[in-house]
C-alpha cells in the first residue's frame, strides 16, 4: 500500500499519471536540497534580507487589557508583500531554480499568492504565468495590475465560476503539458503530495521563531496558539512549532461567512465532508451529490472549498480544534485592533483575532495566547468601508 504523503487517512496524490513523475521529481529535489548547506544558506539569506525574517512577537497590551488575558501577535504582516505568502514562494522558487526549471506557474484567487509568486519570479529572473479565475481577475484588478508590473503573465480562466478552484484545475492541466521546464508553485499546504509537506516546511519558520520568542519574552510556552485557516499554510506554519507541546492548545479559525447554516461560508473543517479535490483527500465543502460547493466569506484569502490534509488529520485525532467566526465578528475585531494597537490586520487574520475576542471573560487572566497575524489589512480597506462606512 502506498502511504507516501499521508496524514492518517488524508492526503496522497490523486493526479493524472503524467504528473506523477513531476511530483516525484519535486519531492526528491526537496529532500535533497533541504539537506544542502548552500541551498539552506541562500534561503536563509532571502528570508532575512529580502523578506524581513525573523518577524517580531508583539505583546498587544491594550488589546490584552480589553480581553482580560495576554495576547501576542506573530507579525507576519511585516514581511515583504505584507503576508506570510512570501515564505512559501521564496522556498519553492529557489527550489525550482536549483532544479534547473526556467518557468514558474501558480494559481491565485484573491491575488495574494499570485503577487507573492510574481515578486519572486522577478527576483529569480524566471518566466512566470499566474492562472486566475476570470471573475477574480475583475474583482481583484489591483493585484492583477501589480502582477503584470512585476513581469508576470496573468491567464484568466473562464471555466466554472471563474474562481480559485477553476484556476487550480487549469494550472494543473497546463502543467501536464509543460512539466519538463515548468515548476508549479502551489500556494497553500493542500494539493497533492509533496505540496502539503513542502509548504509546511517553508512556512515552519513562523512556528520555530514564535516558540523561541515565547520562551525568551514570556518565559514559557503559550497556552493557546491560533491562526486562520484557508488552505491552511499559515496555520500549519505556526502550529508545526508547537505540535509536540501537548499542553499548547491549537485553534484554527475558519470563515463562518454569513453563518455556517447558510450557503455563504468557508468553514471546510467545521462542516465539510471527506472527499478528493485537487489531488488530495481531505475535508471538503460539497453538496449531497458530492459536487464542490461555492464558498463565500468576507476575506477572499479564506475562500477555498478544500483544506490541507494535515489539518483534517489534526482535527480527527483531536490535536487541533477548528472553529469559525462570522463576517460581522471579523469586521468588529478589525476595527478594535486597528484603533487599539494601530495595526490594520488582514481580514483573514482578523478571523483568529475574532475568535480570541469570543474568549473575553472566559479565560483566566494568566492565559497567554499567540495569534498568527498572517497579513496586513491595507488590501482590505475597501471591503471594510463597504460594510462599515466611516461617518464623516
Ligand atoms: C492567503 C492568505 C491566508 C489564507 O491562506 P492559508 O494558506 O490558509 O494561510 C491567510 N491570511 C492571509 C493574509 C493571506 O494572504
Amino acid at each position: 500500500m502506498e502511504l507516501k504523503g499521508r496524514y492518517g487517512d488524508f492526503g496522497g496524490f490523486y493526479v493524472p499519471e503524467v504528473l506523477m513523475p513531476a511530483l516525484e521529481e519535486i519531492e526528491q529535489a526537496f529532500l535533497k536540497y533541504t539537506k544542502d548547506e548552500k541551498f539552506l544558506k541562500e534561503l536563509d539569506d532571502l528570508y532575512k534580507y529580502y523578506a524581513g525574517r525573523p518577524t517580531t512577537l508583539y505583546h498587544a497590551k491594550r488589546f490584552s487589557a480589553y480581553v482580560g488575558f495576554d495576547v501576542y501577535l506573530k507579525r507576519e504582516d511585516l514581511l515583504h508583500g505584507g503576508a506570510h505568502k512570501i515564505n512559501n514562494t521564496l522556498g519553492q522558487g529557489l527550489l525550482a531554480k536549483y532544479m534547473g526549471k526556467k518557468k514558474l506557474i501558480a494559481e491565485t484567487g484573491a491575488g495574494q499568492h499570485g503577487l507573492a509568486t510574481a515578486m519572486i519570479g522577478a527576483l529569480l529572473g524566471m518566466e512566470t504565468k499566474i492562472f486566475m479565475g476570470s471573475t477574480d481577475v475583475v474583482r481583484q484588478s489591483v493585484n492583477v495590475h501589480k502582477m503584470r508590473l512585476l513581469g508576470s503573465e496573468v491567464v484568466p480562466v473562464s471555466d466554472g465560476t471563474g474562481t480559485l478552484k477553476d484556476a487550480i484545475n487549469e494550472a494543473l492541466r497546463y502543467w501536464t503539458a509543460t512539466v519538463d521546464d515548468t515548476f508549479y508553485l502551489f500556494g497553500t499546504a493542500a494539493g497533492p503530495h509533496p505540496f502539503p509537506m513542502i509548504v509546511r516546511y517553508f512556512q515552519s519558520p513562523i512556528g520555530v521563531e514564535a516558540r523561541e520568542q515565547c520562551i525568551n519574552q514570556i518565559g514559557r510556552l503559550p497556552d493557546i496558539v491560533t491562526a486562520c485557516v484557508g488552505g491552511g499554510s499559515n496555520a500549519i506554519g505556526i502550529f508545526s512549532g508547537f505540535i509536540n507541546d501537548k499542553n499548547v492548545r491549537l485553534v484554527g479559525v475558519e470563515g463562518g461567512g454569513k453563518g455556517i447554516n447558510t450557503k455563504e461560508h468557508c468553514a471546510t473543517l467545521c462542516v465539510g465532508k471527506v472527499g478528493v479535490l485537487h489531488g488530495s483527500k481531505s475535508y471538503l465543502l460539497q453538496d449531497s451529490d458530492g459536487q464542490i460547493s461555492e464558498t463565500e466569506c468576507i476575506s477572499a484569502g479564506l475562500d477555498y472549498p478544500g483544506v490541507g490534509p494535515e489539518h483534517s488529520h489534526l482535527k480527527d485525532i483531536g490535536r487541533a480544534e477548528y472553529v469559525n467566526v462570522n463576517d460581522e465578528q471579523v469586521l468588529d475585531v478589525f476595527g478594535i485592533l486597528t484603533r487599539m494597537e494601530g495595526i490594520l490586520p488582514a481580514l483573514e487574520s482578523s478571523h483568529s483575532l475574532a475568535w480570541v475576542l469570543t474568549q473575553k471573560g472566559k479565560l483566566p487572566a494568566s492565559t497567554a495566547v499567540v495569534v498568527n497575524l498572517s497579513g496586513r489589512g491595507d488590501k482590505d480597506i475597501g471591503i471594510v468601508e463597504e460594510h462599515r462606512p466611516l461617518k464623516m
Side-chain angles (χ1 to χ4, degrees):
M1 201 164 77
E2 179 61 88
L3 291 173
K4 220 159 56 168
R6 287 279 172 179
Y7 302 87
D9 191 34
F10 302 103
F13 40 109
Y14 300 86
V15 294
E17 203 67 40
V18 287
L19 288 183
M20 293 289 191
L23 292 170
E24 193 112 340
E25 188 192 0
I26 294 179
E27 181 193 27
Q28 290 311 316
F30 171 80
L31 295 173
K32 173 177 168 196
Y33 289 118
T34 50
K35 289 188 201 81
D36 179 299
E37 271 174 42
K38 185 167 170 286
F39 177 88
L40 291 174
K41 169 86 169 73
E42 198 170 340
L43 181 60
D44 217 47
D45 282 351
L46 286 170
Y47 278 167
K48 193 167 168 185
Y49 300 108
Y50 184 75
R53 303 214 70 88
T55 60
T56 58
L57 183 72
Y58 166 68
H59 185 196
K61 293 205 184 69
R62 292 189 69 204
F63 188 69
S64 297
Y66 181 70
V67 296
F69 47 83
D70 286 314
V71 179
Y72 296 83
L73 307 178
K74 181 59 176 159
R75 299 289 309 274
E76 295 298 292
D77 62 312
L78 296 175
L79 290 173
H80 179 48
H84 69 289
K85 296 241 163 43
I86 195 85
N87 300 323
N88 175 45
T89 57
L90 280 174
Q92 287 195 51
L94 196 63
L95 184 62
K97 196 176 126 183
Y98 272 66
M99 288 169 73
K101 301 291 176 186
K102 301 278 180 275
K103 298 176 184 172
L104 296 175
I105 58 169
E107 80 295 341
T108 198
Q112 296 305 110
H113 174 59
L115 196 54
T117 304
M119 285 176 190
I120 63 96
L123 175 75
L124 301 174
M126 296 172 83
E127 193 184 311
T128 305
K129 257 192 222 311
I130 310 292
F131 292 85
M132 189 172 189
S134 51
T135 310
D136 289 332
V137 168
V138 176
R139 286 196 291 201
Q140 309 290 343
S141 59
V142 175
N143 277 340
V144 172
H145 192 73
K146 287 184 191 168
M147 288 184 256
R148 288 183 173 147
L149 283 173
L150 288 157
S152 286
E153 183 190 345
V154 178
V155 183
V157 178
S158 54
D159 295 352
T161 48
T163 55
L164 178 59
K165 82 172 157 38
D166 311 302
I168 297 177
N169 286 333
E170 185 56 29
L172 284 169
R173 198 153 39 224
Y174 178 88
W175 199 32
T176 59
T178 55
V179 284
D180 289 345
D181 65 349
T182 302
F183 186 99
Y184 185 1
L185 206 165
F186 199 72
T188 189
H193 177 71
F195 289 118
M197 171 178 81
I198 70 182
V199 175
R200 176 202 219 259
Y201 177 88
F202 291 130
Q203 292 294 358
S204 67
I206 308 174
V208 171
E209 288 170 16
R211 190 176 190 280
E212 197 179 299
Q213 288 165 327
C214 283
I215 290 167
N216 292 336
Q217 295 173 225
I218 319 175
R220 65 179 177 91
L221 293 177
D223 301 291
I224 300 173
V225 172
T226 180
C228 62
V229 179
S233 70
N234 88 88
I236 208 66
I238 195 159
F239 287 1
S240 65
F242 299 92
I243 274 182
N244 295 329
D245 303 311
K246 296 288 182 248
N247 294 326
V248 178
R249 264 177 82 189
L250 305 175
V251 181
V253 187
E254 298 190 307
K258 293 200 167 53
I260 55 170
N261 49 353
T262 72
K263 286 205 161 102
E264 293 170 53
H265 65 78
C266 319
T268 310
L269 286 158
C270 292
V271 299
K273 293 192 188 64
V274 177
V276 172
L277 176 68
H278 300 139
S280 178
K281 186 172 175 187
S282 198
Y283 280 92
L284 293 180
L285 288 171
Q286 49 192 325
D287 65 20
S288 47
D289 298 330
Q291 293 290 330
I292 302 306
S293 310
E294 284 313 309
T295 52
E296 176 149 4
C297 55
I298 194 156
S299 62
L302 301 186
D303 219 336
Y304 180 56
V307 68
E310 191 172 359
H311 287 294
S312 292
H313 180 57
L314 292 174
K315 171 189 156 90
D316 276 14
I317 62 171
R319 178 61 191 97
E321 306 155 53
Y322 295 90
V323 298
N324 66 90
V325 293
N326 65 40
D327 292 348
E328 294 304 317
Q329 292 173 285
V330 169
L331 288 162
D332 286 344
V333 85
F334 174 91
I336 292 169
L337 195 86
T338 300
R339 295 283 175 109
M340 277 186 187
E341 299 289 347
I343 295 170
L344 288 98
L347 286 176
E348 290 85 0
S349 324
S350 298
H351 283 71
S352 39
L353 292 164
W355 176 77
V356 170
L357 193 53
T358 67
Q359 302 305 296
K360 182 174 165 41
K362 293 187 190 158
L363 296 172
S366 60
T367 310
V369 181
V370 172
V371 176
N372 197 20
L373 202 71
S374 55
R376 64 174 183 229
D378 306 52
K379 66 185 176 54
D380 295 320
I381 53 173
I383 299 166
V384 173
E385 179 63 17
E386 206 178 289
H387 289 83
R388 302 273 173 96
L390 286 175
K391 294 180 195 69
M392 290 299 170

